[in-house]
Amino acid sequence: MRKITTFIAIAALSFSSIGCDRFLDIQPEGKIIPMNVEDYRKVLTSAYSQYPVHKSLTALRTDELTIDETLNEFNVYREIAMWKDSNNDQATAEFPWVAFYSVNFYLNQVINEGSKTMADSPEKNQILAEAYALRAYLYFDLVNLYGKPYNSATAATDRGVPISLEIDLEQVLKPSSVQAVYDQVHADMAKAEGLMVEEKQPAGINYRFSKTALKAFQARTALYQNDWNKALSYAQQVIAVKGELSNLNTTPTAPNHYASVESILALDNALNIAVQNVSYASPELISKYNTTTDKRFSLYFEKNGSKYKVIKGGTTDFRVSFRTAEMYFIQSEALLKLNRLSEAKEAILKVLKNRYTPDGYITVQNQINPMNTSDFMNFILEERFREFALEGHRWMDLRRADQKKIIHNVNGTDYILQQNDVRYTIEFPMSAKKNNPLL
């Protein structure tokens, strides 16, 4: 039986690769010895910098992308597009596992040891707050990758992921329930909220958590748990301090750019260069846009022969985790679920006014006005498809909404993800299961 030792050893090796050997000496008992706020900021920066790049891989499972079969890299990603999670070809990329628990190791070190060794100061509180917030975000991502979508009726028995909060070489990694993981996410967010100092982070270091980013995270978490009152409250709190939207009629910058007025947390590499290079936007995704009146289209896609390449990712300029538009979408969906249909329409129209040409906006208004609750819910999901294309939302939206049937053609063969298919929950990676039979 493999223990958490494996992950700590890998994490320890990762520390040395970032040039921080001065204070990150590994001691015989397996612990590191940073001492002051400067040291722990570097440890935390390491955690941020090594946060897993997993959202690009989930995009390959959605209706957002098709793979270029002419490239050598095709074999790395084809089985992901086939929803084949077991008995994979050795060339197939794995969804991250060790990377998550390596980052978790850094965060546990900051939380457990930094709280003792750093001198009391606002800087200490901010570092600890960010560590708690990032650990909460990590487990939120993990449970939404490898656990079933949150269902209050079954979450206490649905299998989640292992939770590791201590630096303990003998700790056995056993999966906790989905409910237990969400409970831990909320506990860490509460700790972060009590310690956070910075209201917002300036562009360039806005990969770091702030009070506003934490509220945005709380809004998304409430949305995923169908807690509509809290989702609405948190979204409105964010909008109150970070409500500006990027007007695409006047601004030639994609709203998911780290320097956009909408950027709240610019951490995730949601579409990395490798997946960008090996893929095209799916015909289904392209068909969802009005290419004449939707100003997002030319910022998101570029014609390449008869297909379209996605151009809203691929570099660090497009790191995005939370942005303002998402808060309006959460506000709209929560209002709708609370039977406040007219207010829900008003909320989403604030975004769309900044996305369509003036004529296009009038057309969208006229489409929305007569919609009933069911029609408008479908409209919200379709607009989320357009607005957040290739930002890591689609797989999660499919999981929590209708889990629709998807067909991918790979090497001339149709592969089908049936509606409500069990493969809407990704299996633990084979390497993780080999190392730990409890998974």
Side-chain angles (χ1 to χ4, degrees):
M1 182 186 302
R2 296 291 182 92
K3 307 280 178 66
I4 195 171
T5 311
T6 303
F7 300 111
I8 291 181
I10 291 169
L13 290 173
S14 300
F15 278 126
S16 63
S17 69
I18 59 171
C20 297
D21 292 336
R22 176 181 66 81
F23 63 90
L24 291 173
D25 298 324
I26 304 301
Q27 300 300 294
E29 67 271 23
K31 294 185 178 181
I32 58 177
I33 52 168
M35 295 300 296
N36 53 40
V37 291
E38 290 80 11
D39 293 343
Y40 277 103
R41 171 55 71 184
K42 290 180 181 179
V43 177
L44 187 54
T45 298
S46 299
Y48 280 124
S49 68
Q50 296 185 42
Y51 198 77
V53 180
H54 58 288
K55 293 183 176 179
S56 296
L57 299 182
T58 64
L60 294 167
R61 299 174 74 95
T62 71
D63 47 5
E64 293 177 295
L65 294 177
T66 59
I67 305 179
D68 186 348
E69 298 178 0
T70 67
L71 299 181
N72 292 333
E73 293 82 1
F74 166 67
N75 285 335
V76 177
Y77 301 109
R78 64 184 178 88
E79 291 189 335
I80 296 175
M82 293 158 53
W83 305 286
K84 188 173 183 237
D85 292 335
S86 58
N87 300 316
N88 299 103
D89 186 285
Q90 288 187 346
T92 299
E94 271 197 333
F95 279 84
W97 182 262
V98 169
F100 275 111
Y101 285 97
S102 296
V103 171
N104 185 65
F105 171 78
Y106 300 160
L107 300 174
N108 287 345
Q109 186 68 29
V110 174
I111 291 167
N112 296 336
E113 301 301 325
S115 59
K116 302 172 187 174
T117 60
M118 285 187 286
D120 290 342
S121 67
E123 291 82 2
K124 173 185 178 179
N125 289 345
Q126 180 65 25
I127 288 169
L128 291 174
E130 290 179 44
Y132 277 116
L134 186 56
R135 191 171 71 178
Y137 189 57
L138 180 149
Y139 280 107
F140 178 81
D141 274 353
L142 269 171
V143 78
N144 280 289
L145 271 181
Y146 300 116
K148 290 182 179 180
Y150 186 85
N151 179 336
S152 59
T154 62
T157 54
D158 288 337
R159 188 202 65 189
V161 296
I163 299 173
S164 172
L165 307 181
E166 304 294 334
I167 301 174
D168 180 356
L169 295 178
E170 297 304 314
Q171 187 176 8
V172 178
L173 288 166
K174 297 179 180 179
S176 299
S177 69
V178 168
Q179 185 64 58
V181 178
Y182 269 90
D183 288 346
Q184 184 58 50
V185 167
H186 283 290
D188 278 350
M189 288 194 296
K191 289 285 185 67
E193 190 170 27
L195 291 164
M196 197 76 73
V197 175
E198 299 295 336
E199 186 75 33
K200 303 174 187 177
Q201 297 284 7
I205 61 169
N206 54 339
Y207 63 86
R208 299 176 182 176
F209 267 95
S210 62
K211 289 182 179 180
T212 306
L214 183 60
K215 292 292 184 188
F217 178 25
Q218 289 169 314
R220 185 187 294 175
T221 303
L223 179 78
Y224 280 36
Q225 292 189 274
N226 301 325
D227 190 337
W228 309 118
N229 285 301
K230 285 186 178 178
L232 177 60
S233 175
Y234 286 127
Q236 289 176 331
Q237 289 177 58
V238 175
I239 291 168
V241 298
K242 182 73 173 174
E244 187 176 0
L245 291 159
S246 180
N247 186 345
L248 301 189
N249 287 290
T250 59
T251 302
T253 303
N256 63 310
H257 193 280
Y258 83 94
S260 165
V261 297
E262 294 192 19
S263 182
I264 296 173
L265 184 72
L267 173 62
D268 286 281
N269 188 355
L271 180 64
N272 70 354
I273 187 67
V275 172
Q276 183 188 49
N277 286 342
V278 79
S279 65
Y280 295 99
S282 72
E284 181 171 358
L285 176 58
I286 294 298
S287 72
K288 297 297 182 182
Y289 294 86
N290 184 316
T291 58
T292 302
T293 64
D294 194 328
K295 303 295 289 187
R296 292 169 294 198
F297 189 77
S298 61
L299 291 177
Y300 289 7
F301 310 105
E302 184 176 77
K303 193 74 180 290
N304 187 286
S306 61
K307 301 177 182 179
Y308 287 88
K309 295 294 287 185
V310 180
I311 58 172
K312 64 180 296 196
T315 73
T316 56
D317 286 352
F318 294 101
R319 286 185 178 268
V320 59
S321 302
F322 299 100
R323 59 184 177 91
T324 308
E326 183 187 356
M327 298 300 106
Y328 286 96
F329 273 86
I330 291 174
Q331 180 186 36
S332 180
E333 187 172 340
L335 285 166
L336 181 64
K337 297 295 186 179
L338 293 170
N339 299 313
R340 296 160 64 178
L341 178 59
S342 61
E343 294 173 82
K345 292 177 180 179
E346 290 173 10
I348 205 168
L349 283 170
K350 290 176 182 176
V351 179
L352 303 187
K353 188 174 184 179
N354 292 278
R355 299 297 185 255
Y356 289 89
T357 63
D359 288 343
Y361 175 66
I362 291 172
T363 300
V364 172
Q365 267 188 312
N366 292 334
Q367 290 173 345
I368 288 176
N369 285 337
M371 286 182 181
N372 60 26
T373 298
S374 177
D375 291 339
F376 187 63
M377 185 66 236
N378 290 333
F379 179 82
I380 288 175
L381 292 173
E382 288 218 340
E383 266 300 331
R384 285 182 66 93
F385 193 15
R386 287 185 280 268
E387 175 69 22
F388 303 113
L390 285 307
E391 290 183 39
H393 289 268
R394 184 60 176 170
W395 179 246
M396 302 309 172
D397 281 346
L398 289 169
R399 276 166 44 87
R400 71 182 182 85
D402 60 352
Q403 296 195 9
K404 72 173 193 174
K405 177 180 179 180
I406 303 176
I407 301 174
H408 287 169
N409 187 281
V410 182
N411 270 345
T413 300
D414 282 345
Y415 294 89
I416 301 174
L417 185 70
Q418 299 289 355
Q419 186 167 18
N420 300 320
D421 200 301
V422 295
R423 291 172 295 173
Y424 265 109
T425 297
I426 300 171
E427 290 186 26
F428 292 145
M430 286 302 299
S431 62
K433 289 193 285 189
K434 286 178 181 176
N435 288 335
N436 186 350
L438 295 181
L439 296 180

